Amino acid sequence: MSNPITVPDIISKRYSNEKLVMLTAYDYVFAKLVDAAGVDIILVGDSLATVVQGLRTTLPVSVDEMIYHSRLVSRAVRNALVVADMPFMSYQLSAEQALESAGRFVKEADVAAVKLEGGANMAPTVRNIVRADIPVMGHVGLTPQSYHRMGGFKVQGKAVSEENKIIEDALAIEEAGAFAVVLEGIPPDLAGRITQQLHIPTIGIGAGAECSGQVLVLHDLLGLKLPEETKKPKFVKQYASLGQDVIEAVKTFAEEVRELKFPTEEYTYKRKVGKLSAVVNIS
């Protein structure tokens, strides 16, 4: 088994030719599978609100819920760097509140780093958390926790004034001590300019190919959705259709049960010399 990936490892890849790969995971099983596939970073995203909890935005998910899911992921991972999203209103009230929330993620969920949204306005918060030796990943551009201010999940940085603001935000987050920054929902040329100016890695989602790495939501990548849920963001490439596979598998199981085709003798126990003996190992 290779050595676990660390924050310094992530930073060092900024100047290598190897692109960083980050995916979300929200539970033990998927985290174990994603880790086995060899990604660099596993993000326990507050996207669990929409992906797992069925909510419209990421805003309602709580710190306790995020810590619970982060703990499951950390328990499974052996190689990747585990980063946890700090949910809405867990770091905005004060520097003390932010530090306490970040500390809970490290102590209670065993994550290696936390991620928070915001630019120059959040730089003092990032700086305060980093001073406590808790690594921080930033997130600028389209920030889902700003859903209401932005009027939905809309591409940012189209106007020159917006471009300059996003660049300033990314620079401020780097100066505050973040080890990496997510660039979401911005034009690729802007993401490229930011990547060139920063000394820390950029991880893009809907930000083009010039970033230091890429991230997607695991369930989007795997196609874990109902057939009628065809709408997906432009930047999402679906690599599998597991939602349909699940439906077909469950349908087949239900049919076999109703038609008395399951369980057959192959999947049942039988008595042998006065005791039960397994025909097959079902553990």
Side-chain angles (χ1 to χ4, degrees):
M1 184 178 68
S2 59
N3 293 327
I5 295 173
T6 65
V7 167
D9 292 333
I10 298 299
I11 297 172
S12 69
K13 290 188 179 186
R14 166 66 179 84
Y15 296 101
S16 72
N17 293 322
E18 182 183 357
K19 293 285 189 177
L20 289 164
V21 178
M22 182 163 83
L23 278 175
T24 64
Y26 314 101
D27 61 27
Y28 180 89
V29 173
F30 272 122
K32 203 167 188 65
L33 293 171
V34 171
D35 191 43
V39 304
D40 300 298
I41 306 170
I42 293 179
L43 173 68
V44 189
D46 60 357
S47 50
L48 78 86
T50 55
V51 174
V52 177
Q53 297 178 331
L55 299 170
R56 187 167 60 94
T57 72
T58 63
L59 301 179
V61 70
S62 70
V63 174
D64 287 340
E65 289 168 334
M66 286 297 303
I67 287 176
Y68 170 76
H69 285 270
S70 299
R71 187 184 301 126
L72 301 182
V73 170
S74 293
R75 192 177 297 157
V77 173
R78 295 293 177 268
N79 299 304
L81 185 82
V82 179
V83 180
D85 259 334
M86 294 178 66
F88 181 62
M89 295 310 293
S90 69
Y91 58 93
Q92 289 92 339
L93 295 181
S94 68
E96 292 75 17
Q97 180 219 25
L99 182 55
E100 181 179 6
S101 297
R104 286 192 62 194
F105 276 101
V106 174
K107 288 175 65 66
E108 299 176 33
D110 196 28
V111 303
V114 296
K115 181 172 79 65
L116 56 81
E117 297 179 10
N121 61 320
M122 283 297 156
T125 299
V126 171
R127 186 174 294 107
N128 194 48
I129 296 173
V130 171
R131 281 175 179 166
D133 279 340
I134 300 174
V136 175
M137 176 180 287
H139 186 154
V140 301
L142 193 169
T143 47
Q145 292 178 16
S146 305
Y147 177 87
H148 294 299
R149 174 176 64 80
M150 292 181 174
F153 302 119
K154 297 182 178 180
V155 175
Q156 304 295 302
K158 289 185 174 181
V160 174
S161 59
E162 290 180 346
E163 283 190 10
N164 293 335
K165 177 65 168 61
I166 294 172
I167 293 172
E168 291 170 3
D169 283 340
L171 290 169
I173 291 298
E174 176 185 51
E175 193 277 331
F179 73 92
V181 60
V182 170
L183 305 179
E184 179 171 1
I186 64 174
D189 59 320
L190 174 57
R193 287 167 56 198
I194 293 172
T195 300
Q196 290 175 2
Q197 291 187 47
L198 297 186
H199 296 91
I200 59 174
T202 61
I203 301 174
I205 178 167
E210 294 188 47
C211 298
S212 309
Q214 298 291 325
V215 59
L216 283 178
V217 171
L218 180 65
H219 289 56
D220 290 340
L221 180 152
L222 295 178
L224 274 169
K225 58 186 179 180
L226 295 170
E228 61 268 24
E229 296 173 341
T230 56
K231 186 178 180 180
K232 65 180 187 294
K234 178 180 175 62
F235 58 80
V236 170
K237 181 176 180 179
Q238 186 176 309
Y239 289 80
S241 299
L242 297 193
Q244 188 61 44
D245 290 343
V246 170
I247 291 172
E248 293 303 320
V250 174
K251 278 184 176 179
T252 302
F253 167 69
E255 289 171 2
E256 290 192 359
V257 170
R258 290 165 182 152
E259 296 172 5
L260 305 181
K261 295 179 179 179
F262 178 84
T264 60
E265 183 178 354
E266 181 184 359
Y267 299 101
T268 56
Y269 296 99
K270 64 181 181 180
R271 189 176 297 279
K272 182 179 180 181
V273 194
K275 62 182 180 180
L276 291 177
S277 174
V279 176
V280 294
N281 185 354
I282 64 170
S283 60

